[in-house]
Amino acid sequence: MSQIRDIELFLVELSLVRPFRVSFGTSTGKQCVVARVRTDDAEGWGECVADDGYPGFSGEWNEGVWTLLRDVLAPTLLRADDVTSATVEQQLRFVRGNPMAKATLINGVVDAELRADGRSLRAFLGGARDAVACGVSIGIADTTDELRAQVDEHLEQGYRRIKLKIMPGLDVERVGAIRADHPDILLSVDANAAYTLEDLDVFRALDAFDLLMVEQPLHHEDLVLHARLQEEIATPICLDESIRSAADAAAALELGSCRIVNIKQGRVGGVLEARRVHDVAAAAAVPVWCGGMLETGLGRATNLGLASMPNFTLPGDTSASARYFADDLTEPFVLGEDGTMAVPAGPGIGVEPRPERLAACTVRRELVTKSD
């Protein structure tokens, strides 16, 4: 039996080393909610991947997450007699939706339990490798020449797959330029749902570039339309924003909406649901890869543990800390010379925030206890 003693919430803010532009906006920093879950035996960490400012890319945002964690979800777990990796999802199920907020506590509970047991997240999830292949996501540049320079920089660093963010008007010409420069690299594009079926000619043109995938071309609710698009183009479609649960993955694969799945554990409700998404895709012989959401080292460590599972056969967005932050919340993650990154082998997620860095990055902090 394990009881939670208290849950501490932190709102942390880090600057990005380079603005990151996608089809719906530009980020210059990372602000997220982090939770420390203290049990009778250990403490665990969870990082939320919700939006800052307002619910734009996702339906959750930091202010809403903070309120829900503080006033509803954390008190629920504090009142429970037994909170474990086997019970925590059910204990939070009475709240509909809000998978990002739930993931923050679910991952914290799993991390604490594994630390108490001296067991790694990789072992818990059935990970098959101690290092994972890494790709990099490159935002929309101001010019094609600037994009070329960024691609060259990341290839020199050893990344095994290049992903280009695209949007209407900034797509075929730029992708063609990069493919001409690098005929043999693994190259993919990510539309972040910026297109419609009326843009079919764009996707047919992209077929000429031998892409690994085109990621989330249409609206996240348009599984049927994605299936129609996939019938019209040769490039495999990968779904990202559309995959919010194992049920979503099963529906997408049944409809033929995609041939590849991007799993973001922070969006589907944590590592437990992410494992189910992995298993659904594996049963259908559909490859998966681990997406990123500009996580700090806490989320990156969690992603690496997940990406060690057998069906993560494509390079993910588990880029080095230095790709995003001059000074990460944890000890930095480094890309190996072979384009892989080591999966933490220590108990739980294998890392924790550096106290002085956590203090410096924290803009709000609140402790939720049994008496609250």
Side-chain angles (χ1 to χ4, degrees):
M1 179 176 293
S2 179
Q3 286 194 316
I4 295 178
R5 292 165 44 198
D6 57 56
I7 295 172
E8 193 166 13
L9 304 177
F10 303 82
L11 184 65
V12 301
E13 190 169 65
L14 294 81
S15 296
L16 294 175
V17 297
R18 173 185 286 157
F20 191 72
R21 181 185 174 195
V22 300
S23 61
F24 55 85
T26 301
S27 297
T28 58
K30 172 67 176 181
Q31 188 183 84
C32 64
V33 178
V34 169
R36 173 162 52 194
V37 178
R38 292 191 183 95
T39 71
D40 291 334
D41 305 310
E43 65 180 34
W45 294 89
E47 175 178 332
C48 188
V49 298
D51 287 338
D52 174 32
Y54 67 97
F57 178 62
S58 69
E60 295 176 76
W61 62 310
N62 285 336
E63 286 300 319
V65 165
W66 187 278
T67 300
L68 183 61
L69 290 175
R70 182 193 62 198
D71 296 347
V72 181
L73 299 182
T76 295
L77 295 186
L78 288 166
R79 288 192 298 267
D81 292 330
D82 188 22
V83 181
T84 69
S85 61
T87 65
V88 62
E89 289 177 305
Q90 185 61 41
Q91 287 159 333
L92 300 180
R93 198 176 298 276
F94 72 98
V95 171
R96 180 170 295 190
N98 294 278
M100 295 178 177
K102 291 178 181 178
T104 313
L105 296 186
I106 289 168
N107 289 349
V109 167
V110 171
D111 187 33
E113 178 178 292
L114 294 175
R115 289 178 192 267
D117 292 343
R119 191 180 182 195
S120 70
L121 180 62
R122 180 184 69 189
F124 173 75
L125 294 174
R129 56 183 72 90
D130 57 13
V132 300
C134 296
V136 66
S137 179
I138 299 178
I140 297 170
D142 290 338
T143 67
T144 301
D145 285 342
E146 182 182 334
L147 178 63
R148 281 186 160 121
Q150 290 187 41
V151 170
D152 291 345
E153 173 189 345
H154 293 305
L155 287 174
E156 289 173 3
Q157 291 168 352
Y159 286 102
R160 294 193 181 183
R161 185 224 64 211
I162 297 292
K163 181 172 81 174
L164 307 177
K165 296 287 188 176
I166 60 172
M167 63 182 293
L170 296 174
D171 40 44
V172 177
E173 178 270 332
R174 291 194 172 188
V175 177
I178 300 305
R179 178 51 88 200
D181 289 348
H182 305 284
D184 300 321
I185 64 170
L186 280 182
L187 182 64
S188 65
V189 298
D190 183 5
N192 289 117
Y195 295 82
T196 72
L197 279 183
E198 295 181 0
D199 299 303
L200 180 58
D201 287 348
V202 171
F203 297 108
R204 285 176 171 161
L206 290 173
D207 270 344
F209 302 130
D210 190 27
L211 299 176
L212 176 64
M213 69 187 90
V214 55
E215 186 179 349
Q216 198 65 46
L218 311 179
H219 191 275
H220 70 273
E221 293 178 339
D222 288 340
L223 291 184
V224 171
L225 295 186
H226 275 106
R228 292 179 185 172
L229 178 60
Q230 184 65 93
E231 291 176 349
E232 297 290 335
I233 63 175
T235 305
I237 289 176
C238 170
L239 288 183
D240 175 0
E241 289 96 314
S242 295
I243 307 300
R244 298 159 295 187
S245 66
D248 282 343
L253 298 180
E254 177 71 21
L255 289 168
S257 305
C258 64
R259 297 175 187 165
I260 299 172
V261 172
N262 175 0
I263 302 179
K264 291 180 174 173
Q265 57 79 23
R267 187 181 56 224
V268 303
V271 293
L272 303 177
E273 184 69 7
R275 178 169 58 184
R276 297 185 192 103
V277 178
H278 167 277
D279 293 347
V280 165
V286 169
V288 303
W289 57 280
C290 185
M293 299 185 75
L294 306 181
E295 289 95 340
T296 75
L298 293 173
R300 202 165 306 280
T302 307
N303 290 347
L304 285 165
L306 180 68
S308 71
M309 295 182 69
N311 197 41
F312 282 86
T313 56
L314 301 175
D317 285 342
T318 45
S319 307
S321 295
R323 164 72 179 89
Y324 301 109
F325 310 115
D327 191 6
D328 204 344
L329 199 59
T330 65
E331 290 298 326
F333 284 93
V334 178
L335 185 71
E337 293 182 358
D338 63 349
T340 68
M341 189 173 294
V343 180
I349 62 173
V351 302
E352 55 190 27
R354 293 175 288 142
E356 71 287 353
R357 184 61 176 148
L358 178 62
C361 293
T362 297
V363 296
R364 189 192 310 175
R365 182 173 181 173
E366 192 163 353
L367 183 67
V368 186
T369 66
K370 291 180 183 293
S371 60
D372 290 346

